[in-house]
Amino acid sequence: MRREGIYSSHLSTWRKQRAVAERTALEPQKRGRKIDPALAEARRVETLTRENERLRRQLAQAELIIDVQKKVATLLGMSMAHSPGEAF
């Protein structure tokens, strides 16, 4: 074996590799289609984009409501300032 360049360390390494391969072959495998990482990433980006748009719409709506509330508060403040004798 030495003449061919095969040493005992090679044999022990090959035996370890064979044992690891046997163990992985005997482990239960997931059934069904394999998940494509590119497709999964594309779906994740699409989901995040939709969520981002939804949150932007909610933010715009909240800002509009706040502006209206400020205007109403200003109008009520002006009307109360013009008639100090009136009590609520």
Side-chain angles (χ1 to χ4, degrees):
M1 288 178 39
R2 287 181 190 241
R3 184 181 69 214
E4 299 298 324
I6 300 174
Y7 299 99
S8 62
S9 63
H10 292 135
L11 292 175
S12 63
T13 303
W14 292 337
R15 287 182 184 131
K16 288 178 186 176
Q17 290 174 347
R18 184 187 64 195
V20 168
E22 286 175 353
R23 280 192 300 257
T24 57
L26 292 176
E27 288 178 358
Q29 301 293 321
K30 281 191 168 183
R31 298 178 69 169
R33 290 185 173 175
K34 304 295 182 226
I35 297 174
D36 183 18
L39 183 60
E41 184 67 22
R43 285 182 181 162
R44 183 172 177 268
V45 167
E46 180 183 347
T47 302
L48 291 174
T49 302
R50 278 189 275 128
E51 183 180 2
N52 191 357
E53 285 301 316
R54 181 182 60 82
L55 292 173
R56 285 181 190 271
R57 284 192 305 270
Q58 283 183 349
L59 177 63
Q61 184 180 12
E63 287 175 345
L64 179 66
I65 291 171
I66 290 170
D67 287 341
V68 168
Q69 287 176 342
K70 285 180 183 177
K71 289 178 183 178
V72 167
T74 303
L75 288 174
L76 290 176
M78 286 181 159
S79 66
M80 289 184 350
H82 288 298
S83 54
E86 294 180 2
F88 289 167

